[in-house]
Amino acid sequence: MNPITETIDDVGCGRLTLSHLDTLESESIHIFREVVAEFERPVLLFSGGKDSVVMLHLAAKAFWPGPVPFPLLHVDTGHNFPEVLAYRDRAVAEKGVRLEVVAVQDYVDDGRLAERTDGTRNPLQTQPLLDGIADHRFDAVFGGGRRDEEKARAKERIYSLRDEFGAWDPRNQRPELWNLYNGRHRPGEHVRVFPLSNWTELDVWRYIGREGIALPELYYAHQRDVFERDGMLLAVGPVSQPRATESVVTRQVRYRTVGDMSCTGAVESDAVTVQDVVIEVAATRLTERGATRADDRISEAAMEDRKKEGYF
Amino acid sequence: MPVTQPTLLRLATAGSVDDGKSTLVGRLLHDSKSVLADQLDAVERVSRDRGLARADLALLTDGLRAEREQGITIDVAYRYFATADRSFILADCPGHVQYTRNTVTGASTADAVVLLVDARKGVLEQTRRHLAVAALLRVPHVIVAVNKIDLVGFDEDIYTQVASDLATVAFDLGLPDLVTVPVSALEGDNVVDRSARTDWYSGPSLLEVLETLPVADDPSHEEFRFPVQLTLRPQGAARDAAHREYRGYAGQIASGVVTVGDEVVVLPSGRRTTIAGIDTADGELTEAFAPRSVALRLAHDIDVARGDLIAAADHAPEPVRDLFATVCWLSQAPLSKHSRVLLKHTTCTTRAIVSAVDGVLDLDAVQIVPAQDLGLNDIGRLRIRTAEPIAAEPYARHRRTGAFLLIDAQSGQTLAAGMIGDPLAGEGEHADDWDI
Ligand SMILES: Nc1nc2c(ncn2[C@@H]2O[C@H](COP(=O)(O)OP(=O)(O)O)[C@@H](O)[C@H]2O)c(=O)[nH]1
């Protein structure tokens, strides 16, 4: 029999209590199954980042022994870490799922989007994302957002209704009661679904460790050529070149999030294994976004504004 | 010895404006070291900009731009903090705008409600109302933080009076085990550590209370309920050849324990069978309990679909089409505009008609008063007729299978949070009420 039937002696009174990670896992699996049962065309946003990897892992568990019953969608900024793209393609092949890609580069090439002066492409993802959703008529879109990430996200529902512009209206959200999710929507509207809403960064790492989930290598400490900009360590690459005043040094680093390579910072770290990372995250003094995302530092409401426009 | 692993406790806050809710939540996050350096920097910076002498921890729970501009909280926000033995999800419910709607939302999933009372003001009408909502939603634990104890000079008599008034209200509402703690959210007394300034108080600090509460009802004392979400029948698409013939019913155990070999009944059809297997992607289990998500295999090849309930054969609910229910109305448009609705109960959605309004609950007097209609934030008694039979049971005994939503079929809006029967009635009193 399987060792995962653990009976926990909760506060010493011999009750049957599910562990914290099992409770979160079961809640997420319930959400995946509800969406598949009630929506016609769900899709999972997949970047190869750890949250999307954990989502895919949970989806595979929810429908076992069947396949994952929906495709993946990658909004490709064109500013990728090569090892993340390679990981993405491996994961897709392994799970036997279909991958759709919408590329920011196509929009820049034909002039639908203009490159920003700061060169970052995270804010340019919204338009291709919304077009991808509309073109494929996706009605439920799984996102890896967590409520612990940021204060606008703290108010997000698990099912978040979006109008035909993809907009989030924080003042007019449906109340979410018990575990009864209301996914009714009108033609042209869709629902963003966040199965990891209640997970924290530490939970995600503990789960990755417990389940033995493989991640792109750059989540673990490695030697890399970096330069410092705005207090962040940026990798040297095709889209992130140091300016004359910025000197390149080789450091032992890892990434806490992966995104647009030109604005995603590395942190100095000795964490080579999952267990090391769990210890590091538990002890860390900076939020995930504060440490590594240049674009969220711009203003206190940066994320809120992007979400209202239909961002992830 | 069983392994000790951290458990998860869901909390909801409640309190009137200015009782110190934001300060308390900020203090819990701060003192449990759940606030990170960059967040604290931001709070210190903003506090300085506003000319404050010290960091205002209430700013940690600041949310959206409109909220910062207007100095109010618009919507339920979710916060996360953890101690060595337990992780907490805290639904931070605003105290004023849409009070009932937000508190009902937060309380619906909560294992415990933390209510704030200002020690100087004692039990107010608002306090009664907060406690009534907690009682109505059958939140297992209610903890009252008697706040601003520093402003009454850490006076034992004042605290004792407030605590005894609270106990009286709790008794009237049938709330079991109300816990009260004297705290100063601002200065930290009895929030995380016990305070030397309340040496007359020998009980635990607020965080100690939260760390030692039982998480939920013990599944081994509950009846087994399993709403079917979908059928897993991969056929040719199975991940391995051995599962081509697989047929399992996927769902999350709503209550109780299930063991291979248990006799069960599938509702509403009433067909009986036994549990042939309990599956997860990690392998088979011999036993599973709420709230685990599993797939069940049944011994007989009977017709089972989404919306059905698999229940313990000897304690199963009776499927009905006529319901007596208590609802909290959540929509701007009154009930009269929505007499034809959709009703979502577990995984079953059916058309329904509101056949009668019996009255509205006066939360202050905790009494039903006659009414024709329900408006936003009203709690009312309704009779509802459904198109399909549902395996309904009293909310007072089954929080999961006794709850439902009313939904507007056109707009898709959630109109009401519903509880079957009278959640405030003691157990056992409900049985006769509800086929009226
Ligand atoms: N002296 C004292 N003041 C407090 C305490 N808790 C909160 N306050 C103050 O009461 C006011 C309202 O607090 P706040 O947390 O914003 O209340 P909320 O509206 O319930 O969120 C603020 O000025 C706080 O500094 C306390 O324990 N002692």
Side-chain angles (χ1 to χ4, degrees):
Chain A
M1 246 343 81
N2 198 286
I4 66 169
T5 2
E6 60 213 337
T7 302
I8 292 168
D9 191 5
D10 179 38
V11 297
C13 44
R15 292 162 158 258
L16 292 177
T17 306
L18 225 46
S19 79
H20 152 244
L21 283 182
D22 283 331
T23 307
L24 291 174
E25 178 189 67
S26 283
E27 177 182 279
S28 300
I29 287 175
H30 173 256
I31 294 164
F32 275 112
R33 289 168 168 176
E34 278 304 282
V35 170
V36 164
E38 293 204 324
F39 289 80
E40 278 168 24
R41 301 172 68 85
V43 69
L44 185 146
L45 296 177
F46 191 78
S47 63
K50 68 176 192 314
D51 298 321
S52 68
V53 171
V54 167
M55 273 206 297
L56 183 59
H57 180 87
L58 288 162
K61 284 185 125 176
F63 301 102
W64 180 93
V68 174
F70 40 76
L72 311 183
L73 177 67
H74 181 211
V75 183
D76 181 354
T77 59
H79 289 179
N80 297 299
F81 291 95
E83 51 270 67
V84 177
L85 269 197
Y87 175 91
R88 178 197 78 182
D89 294 336
R90 274 204 309 278
V92 166
E94 226 167 74
K95 290 283 193 307
V97 281
R98 195 177 90 231
L99 173 74
E100 303 285 350
V101 178
V102 282
V104 173
Q105 192 63 51
D106 294 344
Y107 283 70
V108 173
D109 289 346
D110 66 14
R112 278 175 291 173
L113 285 174
E115 203 81 76
R116 292 162 51 95
T117 47
D118 62 5
T120 67
R121 286 187 171 177
N122 276 343
L124 300 187
Q125 287 172 283
T126 303
Q127 186 63 38
L129 168 66
L130 294 178
D131 288 348
I133 292 169
D135 292 349
H136 292 95
R137 289 180 293 115
F138 292 129
D139 53 0
V141 181
F142 292 108
R146 305 189 320 266
R147 290 177 182 145
D148 78 323
E149 281 180 82
E150 202 277 333
K151 55 192 164 193
R153 287 217 196 275
K155 306 229 157 178
E156 181 90 80
R157 300 289 189 264
I158 291 174
Y159 275 39
S160 180
L161 184 68
R162 302 304 168 97
D163 63 16
E164 54 270 60
F165 303 102
W168 180 60
D169 180 1
R171 308 196 70 154
N172 194 19
Q173 303 194 77
R174 285 181 184 163
E176 212 152 69
L177 298 136
W178 300 287
N179 60 352
L180 297 173
Y181 301 108
N182 175 3
R184 307 268 313 176
H185 59 281
R186 288 181 281 208
E189 296 178 337
H190 70 273
V191 177
R192 298 282 173 87
V193 181
F194 300 103
L196 304 182
S197 286
N198 284 327
W199 297 56
T200 63
E201 187 189 12
L202 190 57
D203 297 334
V204 168
W205 276 110
R206 287 196 170 129
Y207 189 70
I208 288 167
R210 181 181 99 166
E211 302 282 302
I213 300 172
L215 290 183
E217 305 80 351
L218 48 66
Y219 277 109
Y220 302 106
H222 56 284
Q223 298 287 322
R224 192 180 276 263
D225 287 347
V226 293
F227 58 93
E228 201 173 321
R229 181 178 295 168
D230 304 332
M232 278 191 320
L233 297 177
L234 295 181
V236 179
V239 294
S240 48
Q241 285 298 321
R243 300 177 189 131
T245 51
E246 295 164 337
S247 54
V248 175
V249 286
T250 305
R251 295 271 177 79
Q252 164 119 328
V253 297
R254 67 174 206 88
Y255 286 85
R256 289 177 71 187
T257 65
V258 300
D260 178 338
M261 193 172 178
S262 73
C263 66
T264 303
V267 291
E268 286 197 71
S269 168
D270 299 322
V272 235
T273 65
V274 186
Q275 281 66 35
D276 297 341
V277 175
V278 167
I279 292 166
E280 187 189 284
V281 171
T284 193
R285 303 311 302 151
L286 282 182
T287 63
E288 195 176 313
R289 288 191 168 267
T292 58
R293 288 283 176 96
D295 51 341
D296 283 328
R297 297 177 153 192
I298 298 166
S299 98
E300 272 208 277
M303 174 61 98
E304 183 183 342
D305 292 341
R306 270 188 282 143
K307 281 177 65 63
K308 284 183 180 162
E309 289 162 11
Y311 191 71
F312 301 107
Chain B
M1 268 295 282
V3 222
T4 323
Q5 287 197 47
T7 50
L8 182 68
L9 189 83
R10 292 171 207 258
L11 301 172
T13 61
S16 312
V17 191
D18 285 342
D19 284 350
K21 196 163 55 60
S22 314
T23 310
L24 181 73
V25 172
R27 168 71 55 193
L28 276 173
L29 298 179
H30 177 264
D31 289 5
S32 66
K33 312 244 173 345
S34 303
V35 184
L36 303 170
D38 55 338
Q39 294 172 309
L40 205 59
D41 286 350
V43 163
E44 279 166 3
R45 197 175 58 235
V46 175
S47 302
R48 262 197 317 276
D49 291 350
R50 296 188 186 171
L52 302 175
R54 61 174 152 179
D56 181 359
L57 292 181
L59 291 173
L60 283 172
T61 62
D62 239 19
L64 307 168
R65 190 204 305 269
E67 298 177 309
R68 284 194 299 279
E69 283 166 5
Q70 298 167 35
I72 56 157
T73 320
I74 290 167
D75 205 341
V76 183
Y78 293 85
R79 326 253 170 227
Y80 301 82
F81 63 99
T83 61
D85 297 331
R86 194 164 262 187
S87 292
F88 298 90
I89 301 176
L90 187 148
D92 193 3
C93 307
H96 40 138
V97 193
Q98 300 258 326
Y99 165 72
T100 310
R101 173 186 159 124
N102 287 319
T103 308
V104 167
T105 302
S108 71
T109 52
D111 301 309
V113 162
V114 177
L115 168 65
L116 269 100
V117 170
D118 186 325
R120 297 169 302 176
K121 300 182 190 154
V123 175
L124 304 175
E125 262 181 28
Q126 277 267 33
T127 317
R128 286 182 68 92
R129 212 171 296 168
H130 296 308
L131 289 171
V133 171
L136 195 69
L137 273 290
R138 309 277 312 182
V139 181
H141 308 281
V142 179
I143 300 122
V144 185
V146 179
N147 191 31
K148 308 197 183 183
I149 199 78
D150 55 306
L151 294 184
V152 296
F154 300 95
D155 186 293
E156 177 177 11
D157 293 340
I158 293 178
Y159 170 75
T160 310
Q161 185 59 49
V162 176
S164 111
D165 292 348
L166 284 165
T168 310
V169 180
F171 182 81
D172 291 347
L173 290 168
L175 273 174
D177 321 323
L178 187 85
V179 177
T180 54
V181 184
V183 304
S184 169
L186 190 67
E187 302 185 351
D189 300 79
N190 295 325
V191 176
V192 170
D193 299 313
R194 297 186 199 187
S195 169
R197 299 194 284 186
T198 52
D199 52 5
W200 39 265
Y201 171 77
S202 56
S205 72
L206 179 62
L207 190 63
E208 285 171 341
V209 173
L210 298 178
E211 278 188 295
T212 50
L213 287 174
V215 165
D217 297 327
D218 186 348
S220 52
H221 300 147
E222 294 171 341
E223 291 153 355
F224 171 64
R225 300 289 185 261
F226 184 83
V228 175
Q229 290 187 276
L230 41 81
T231 306
L232 297 173
R233 199 162 162 263
Q235 299 177 294
R239 305 253 287 273
D240 53 74
H243 289 98
R244 296 259 158 81
E245 303 298 312
Y246 186 87
R247 180 201 287 261
Y249 300 101
Q252 184 175 22
I253 302 171
S255 64
V257 184
V258 63
T259 309
V260 174
D262 277 357
E263 202 180 332
V264 291
V265 59
V266 180
L267 299 170
S269 74
R271 300 287 298 270
R272 284 175 171 246
T273 181
T274 50
I275 301 291
I278 305 169
D279 297 322
T280 72
D282 298 303
E284 272 187 60
L285 306 174
T286 42
E287 175 193 280
F289 54 87
R292 190 185 277 284
S293 286
V294 295
L296 298 181
R297 273 176 289 123
L298 302 178
H300 300 91
D301 193 5
I302 54 177
D303 190 20
V304 182
R306 176 172 173 83
D308 287 353
L309 183 78
I310 300 177
D314 48 352
H315 297 279
E318 199 59 47
V320 291
R321 289 183 55 201
D322 287 295
L323 300 175
F324 164 72
T326 305
V327 305
C328 175
W329 196 254
L330 305 169
S331 160
Q332 298 284 351
L335 166 64
S336 46
K337 297 240 178 358
H338 300 283
S339 53
R340 283 172 185 276
V341 294
L342 293 175
L343 184 147
K344 183 166 189 178
H345 170 256
T346 67
T347 55
C348 168
T349 304
T350 173
R351 283 175 296 124
I353 297 174
V354 177
S355 41
V357 179
D358 283 354
V360 166
L361 181 69
D362 174 348
L363 275 178
D364 299 327
V366 197
Q367 260 179 6
I368 295 288
V369 294
Q372 307 294 311
D373 214 344
L374 294 183
L376 180 63
N377 291 324
D378 278 347
I379 291 167
R381 290 281 155 72
L382 304 181
R383 289 164 212 229
I384 300 171
R385 184 162 174 82
T386 60
E388 308 288 336
I390 63 169
E393 31 195 356
Y395 184 82
R397 283 229 317 265
H398 292 271
R399 246 176 132 199
R400 288 274 175 243
T401 44
F404 62 88
L405 303 181
L406 296 182
I407 297 170
D408 182 299
Q410 263 74 52
S411 72
Q413 293 286 351
T414 301
L415 299 172
M419 290 153 282
I420 294 162
D422 174 6
L424 289 176
E427 292 186 20
E429 287 172 43
H430 48 76
D432 321 322
D433 285 349
W434 51 296
D435 52 358
I436 337 171

